Amino acid sequence: MGTKSQGEQSHVSNPVRRIRWATQRVSGTNERHIRQSIKDRFQHRKVGATEKKRQSGDTPHLDGIQEESEPSEADDTHETSGRRIYFNIPLPDSAKDSDGHPLAHYERNKIRTAKYTPLSFVPKNLWFQFHNIANIYFLFVVLLGIYWIFGNPDPALSSVPLIVILFLTAVKDGIEDWRRTVLDNELNNAPTHRLIDWNNVNTSEDSISLWRKIKKSTTHTILSTYKSWSSKRNKKSAGGKSYAERALDEARPSFDNRQSVFSIQSEHDEEGIKMTPVPSPLPDKDRQLGNDNLGVDDRPMTSFSFEHEDNAQPANGQLSAPSANDKQLARAPGKFYGSIMDPFKQVPGKARFAREYWKSIQVGDFVRIYNEDQIPADVVVLSTSDPDGQCYVETKNLDGETNLKVRQALHCGRKMKHAKDCEKASFVIESEAPNVNLYQYSGAARWTQRDPLKPGESGIEMAEPISINNLLLRGCSLRNTDWVLGVVVYTGRETKIMLNSGITPSKRARIAKDLNWYVIYNFVVLFFMCLVSGIAQGVTWAKSRTSSDFFEYGSIGGNPPLDGFITFWSSVILFQNLVPISLYISLEIIRTAQAFFIYSDTFMYYDRIDYPCTPKSWNISDDLGQIEYVFSDKTGTLTQNVMEFKKCTINGVPYGEAYTEAQAGMQRRQGVDIEAEGAKVCKQIAEDRITMLQELRKMHANPYLHDDELTFVAPDFVTELGGSSGMEQKIANEEFMLALALCHTVITERTPGDPPKLEFKAQSPDEAALVATARDCGFTVMGRSNDSIILNVLGREKEFTVLNTLEFNSSRKRMSAIIRMPNGKIILYCKGADSVIYSRLRPGEQQQLRRLTGEHLEMFAREGLRTLCIACKELNEEEYQAWNKEHDLAAAAIIDREDKLEAVSDAIERDLTLLGGTAIEDRLQDGVPDAIALLGDAGIKLWVLTGDKVETAINIGFSCNLLNNDMDLIVFKIEDGNMDSAETELSKHLEAFGLSGSNEELDIARKDHRAPKPTHAIIIDGDSLKLVLEDRLRQKFLMLCKQCKSVLCCRVSPSQKAAVVRMVKGGLDVMTLSVGDGANDVAMIQEADVGVGIAGEEGRQAVMSSDYAIGQFRFLQRLILVHGRWSYRRLAETIANFFYKNIVWTFALFWYQIYNNFDVTYLFDYTYILLVNLAFTSLPVIFMGILDQDVSDKVSLAVPQLYRRGIERKEWTSVKFWIYMLDGIYQSVMCYYMGHLIFAPATFETSNGLTVNDRARMGVYIACATIVVVNTYVLMNMYRWDWLFLLLVAFSILLIWFWTGVYTAFSSSLRFYKAAPQVFGQLSFWAMILLTTAVCLLPRFAAKAFQKLYRPRDVDIIREQVAQGKYKHLEQYEAYVPPAKLPSAASSEVSDPPKPDQRGGQALADDERPIYPPSVANTGTTHNAYSQNGSDGTDYTGQRLSLDQPPRPSFDRPRPSFDRMRDSMDRIRPSFEASNDFTSAALLTRLESSHSGTPTRRTHHGSSSLR
């Protein structure tokens, strides 16, 4: 909107004043902390020119909305952190330095996410690698070896292990960074169209330094070499993308046969374009480009314009596009917004749009973006191909949402189309500083408006506010819009997507954290070994009258203390293998292979969206095997997030037939045979569908009605829409459908065909379902024309002018549209949460309708349906004009614009008239109940954290096996919001379990990993959760939840989800996993130890922030129970065997030192010491971590109880570590002394007379025996013996013999020369290896045999059963998943008849029943002191006569679904009053508007908040 500084205001209403509420989010506390940390990292940068403060003078206030004054020259003394960007206006002196260059320095648009450059890779990578303490240690050992006094025989050779480790790690890091560099270069060199040959005064030419030239030339050389190699390789490969590439989140492809309603997309050849092709009208005398009042047929043919199609002829009742000849459409006069183009400015006309790289874009540039192109920087939209100034963007790359969003061009720039128009534009943009908020932006365009008819006048100052609705963010994609012309305000690292990058916290596996301690333990052991060696050597040299006086030439140090000091450091070199340098790289290899196996698992591949399970964090796969708590969202995670309109209530009359899964779960609890009932109901619904389709086509031949897409089955609605029940209901039904068809922001797309097909692209699936149902019932949204919506109402075209759209957000919980009807009336339609709408109804009216609608909405919620209320309000012209003036002022505000707009919207959305409500089903995903049951059998506790109502969550809980008949439901709700009340309730329920919530009880709970008994479940809402998460109550609440089988948190915010995860993770010291699919799940995904994102309908934000991405919830069972359990067990066994083999080798050297006075003599050849971890023992232990398998994947799923060992963390413990260490010490004693005892009594001569009893050849004896023992020990610890493992073990054993033979064949081996034939030719060598292996492994073998025979673990029993063939039936399944657990016909809940209530008495009328506090209300079927519900497992507790009351038929007509549901509710009727949930019918009935007048809400008596 243009705002004149003189305060001149037009009294003509603006036809379109849209508030894009959907672009806002209320960030959680955790998100704000994360974003603040990002802000702190950017504080050192100069973010741009300073913006001058705008001071408000004494301006009038309109109902709390302050009108802001324009800035003056005097304001230049004030500065803020914003920026001012000039277009075709010289920079003021205050914005230039002494050389005339701009003071502001903006970021380049070239971005670099890679860590390294070709020149910085080596030093930088080494710097990062030496942050690892093990690498520093081995570098220190190498440096020590340089000095000859420490006895290193070959300092150069001693550096080989470190070099190999550094090299392998550098290669891995280089490959990863190279991929990032390639992506960076692809993005930086992506083409866009930028205005050239004009002067951008905001930036100066870059002066490229010599260093930058060197870097650029180096990069170009490497890139050209890589591209040349890639082109040759790609010629050999076939076309099409690989399986791996399809897993990437790519832009959605466009289809040539799909276009906006009545629109034609222009085609252009981008390669040869100099001046951008713009659809321009022909030079016709009746068509003027500057005419703002073009008719339907007079506008250029562009996207989303309502246009005439000459070949669209009506035939056989089919719809056709209306033309200007059919009707005359009335239009409101336009408002003057001004234009930033100076009509008197003389321009050279040389400017043109040319293809440029993204990296060339600068702040202040004009850019033109075409359909399907990505946005190169943060761009303010000046004009679009649509005459209304609209464009559509997909923000999937930014926030993960796939729904198209509408953005608006500035009114002052909509006339700009060509390059010459850009030269004529003279204006300034005042922008806020770069920040991380994706959903808010404040700025203003200011210019001098000159009258084209008065060239001599100076003009008036005008301004137009710029909001997030006018901003295209970098990374988004333009959709369904031919072109957009805009100016750049942020570039490079200052764009919002770059400021938000890197939010996902780095996670480390629990084993990796524990591993540091065990490495420290090894350092301690090493220290004492070296200390003993140093002291013993010093003491030895201190002795006198020993043989060393005759045979030694003196010590190196010259005195005992110095000799001991030198020996200490020499021992560090000798025993260096005790610290496992290769352990870290081995674990990286193992985890990478595990991630590949997870990605390659075709049983976790979701073919519907072509998405495999994609690991995004490769280093936490073993954490998947220790998960004890899973936190799940409901909508889109447990459910499909594919919304289907099922039912509605209009004017107190319910419509719709459906049989939901939640309803089936409810009937299962009541003992109904749901299979028979479901078959009967589905048959009835199928018949009703046929009837409804016939009635619809009799009423109106709707070409857009497709039989297979009809979800709302209500033949009675169609007949009453025709007037069968009177005009009142007919008008109510029409008004209701009009509200659905008009109150939305959907985008209409038409696919041509016979018949044609309309699709609706909405910002939420719910909204698309509402508009689709209106279409099916004859109220079809055809498209938008200027500021209007074109509807086909039962065959007649009508145009409704949209005056304002106040969109939905999480704080408003409602959406409104102000519509000017064809008869001139102004109607506000509002839809939103029932609690919000009821609080805004006109006081004292529609009492009966409120009661009926509330009852229907609660029935819908108990069926598991998502409900909304629909209301309206008629506005008179004066009321609307007064409100619209305040709205315009709020929209023009620069400061706190969003808050002011929300306040203005709140003022108009009052005194509403209730129309009815809707009910939409979000069905469970395939396999969810079975997956939850399977995870529960594994000992995993599942908590559901959702924003849905309590009733909906409870019924979904029953339908997906979270809740069952035997559970007592604790519905925890604190009405008064008092913390003392919450503490009282917590204490009362804890006492029922014999607990008080003390620290001692918490310590016991941390050690108890057993699943709680399936007797209780707790349901809590967001308001009550806020209380119990306070420090004072958190521990008690946690202890109460620990005793419950299931926990459902309803109406919770994203920050509360993260807080719950944090409470459990820290309070119980357990491993947690969060799974979700939407942006509101990101906080808990990042908070949990493992975050899993589901690639669903709500976008990919959760996927982008997760550690693992899956296509469906059911894949979680395989990810956790199969791959997680395998990974954890493999890693635990690998690490233990790694420490073991190093102990055996190092202590064998240590025992030898005893017999040479600890003078650090090398028993083994130095090449043995270097290669033992790299070659001789590495492969078996690495492949143990990659491929070892105790049971198959099918058995893992068939016996989920095997997973519990991971929950209890029994695979990797301190006890296991020390057992392996002690076992290693024992075996080192055997390996050394078996060789020592062979050589002690005799000598061994070979055939040529040479002996083999020297140190080097004795070392061959002991070293070869040690390698055989170590590799055989690893093989013994493997569960799976196949040809590959046997081959690897044999190869590793033979490798030391091969190396000895090759190395000693050359004279360069010096004293080791010919050692192989001399030693290998001795029978004692082979006998010693055989005996040593047997003696070393016998204790381990005996312990394993005893354990498996007398103390078998679960896996041992299952493996024995597998060997016996008891699981052979699993072979018939491709991937075994246990079948669903259906209730047995013999179970008590099915076979036992319902028992009558024992209390007797008369039933009271609904409005006469008292509201009993549920915790003190008597129940007829249970006397549990801490139960508030009956034995049927429901939360229904009030006074009931009998559960077998006869069904109450509908009063006027057959409504099968309604009667079924009401019959179910009649059995447990008092639950309405017993429930204190805000959405219950009782409370909605008594609730008067708290926004329309004085609230008259009735006070509830009773202290308990449970039902």
Side-chain angles (χ1 to χ4, degrees), residues 1126-1326:
W1126 280 351
S1127 297
Y1128 172 56
R1129 202 202 60 76
R1130 289 166 176 171
L1131 260 296
E1133 200 64 33
T1134 295
I1135 294 173
N1137 281 271
F1138 224 106
F1139 282 115
Y1140 150 80
K1141 68 185 184 68
N1142 285 0
I1143 283 289
V1144 175
W1145 180 266
T1146 306
F1147 269 84
L1149 290 171
F1150 181 77
W1151 306 132
Y1152 176 68
Q1153 303 304 311
I1154 298 175
Y1155 301 97
N1156 55 20
N1157 294 329
F1158 289 94
D1159 63 355
V1160 199
T1161 301
Y1162 285 70
L1163 172 63
F1164 305 142
D1165 184 81
Y1166 196 65
T1167 59
Y1168 284 176
I1169 296 177
L1170 298 179
L1171 295 177
V1172 61
N1173 277 329
L1174 288 180
F1176 300 153
T1177 61
S1178 59
L1179 287 180
V1181 74
I1182 288 177
F1183 276 87
M1184 167 189 277
I1186 295 176
L1187 297 175
D1188 192 22
Q1189 188 179 111
D1190 51 358
V1191 293
S1192 67
D1193 56 339
K1194 297 177 183 179
V1195 176
S1196 296
L1197 293 174
V1199 191
Q1201 292 81 3
L1202 292 175
Y1203 187 83
R1204 294 183 181 180
R1205 190 167 176 81
I1207 294 177
E1208 298 170 356
R1209 303 176 203 164
K1210 290 185 176 179
E1211 294 291 350
W1212 177 246
T1213 62
S1214 296
V1215 174
K1216 181 175 183 176
F1217 169 78
W1218 290 113
I1219 286 177
Y1220 273 76
M1221 293 283 283
L1222 294 176
D1223 200 2
I1225 293 175
Y1226 161 76
Q1227 294 185 30
S1228 68
V1229 171
M1230 294 298 104
C1231 288
Y1232 172 75
Y1233 280 99
M1234 288 294 288
H1236 177 87
L1237 294 175
I1238 288 177
F1239 287 95
T1243 58
F1244 297 87
E1245 287 78 12
T1246 61
S1247 58
N1248 60 5
L1250 299 178
T1251 62
V1252 292
N1253 61 350
D1254 63 296
R1255 174 182 57 84
R1257 284 153 182 79
M1258 179 181 174
V1260 176
Y1261 272 78
I1262 298 175
C1264 291
T1266 302
I1267 296 302
V1268 172
V1269 168
V1270 165
N1271 287 313
T1272 307
Y1273 185 83
V1274 173
L1275 180 64
M1276 182 185 297
N1277 290 328
M1278 290 180 181
Y1279 279 102
R1280 178 177 178 177
W1281 285 18
D1282 54 21
W1283 66 269
L1284 180 59
F1285 279 124
L1286 295 175
L1287 178 64
L1288 290 172
V1289 171
F1291 174 79
S1292 299
I1293 293 174
L1294 294 175
L1295 188 60
I1296 188 172
W1297 293 335
F1298 173 79
W1299 170 255
T1300 304
V1302 172
Y1303 180 60
T1304 60
F1306 299 95
S1307 58
S1308 57
S1309 59
L1310 302 177
R1311 285 178 291 181
F1312 210 32
Y1313 182 62
K1314 296 296 184 181
Q1318 296 168 5
V1319 173
F1320 294 167
Q1322 301 298 312
L1323 178 61
S1324 59
F1325 172 78
W1326 303 104

Side-chain angles (χ1 to χ4, degrees), residues 996-1006 1035-1036 1039 1067:
S996 62
S998 63
N999 293 332
E1000 293 77 11
E1001 292 172 348
L1002 181 62
D1003 293 337
I1004 296 174
R1006 286 180 175 177
Q1035 183 166 312
K1036 288 188 175 182
M1039 290 299 298

Side-chain angles (χ1 to χ4, degrees), residues 970-1019:
I970 305 174
V971 182
F972 197 94
K973 185 171 180 64
I974 308 301
E975 280 292 339
D976 56 9
N978 191 306
M979 192 170 295
D980 292 333
S981 301
E983 186 172 16
T984 301
E985 293 300 325
L986 286 173
S987 299
K988 181 177 66 175
H989 289 286
L990 283 173
E991 288 173 3
F993 292 100
L995 301 173
S996 62
S998 63
N999 293 332
E1000 293 77 11
E1001 292 172 348
L1002 181 62
D1003 293 337
I1004 296 174
R1006 286 180 175 177
K1007 301 175 182 178
D1008 184 8
H1009 298 282
R1010 295 174 299 176
K1013 297 179 181 179
T1015 57
H1016 288 79
I1018 185 169
I1019 298 95

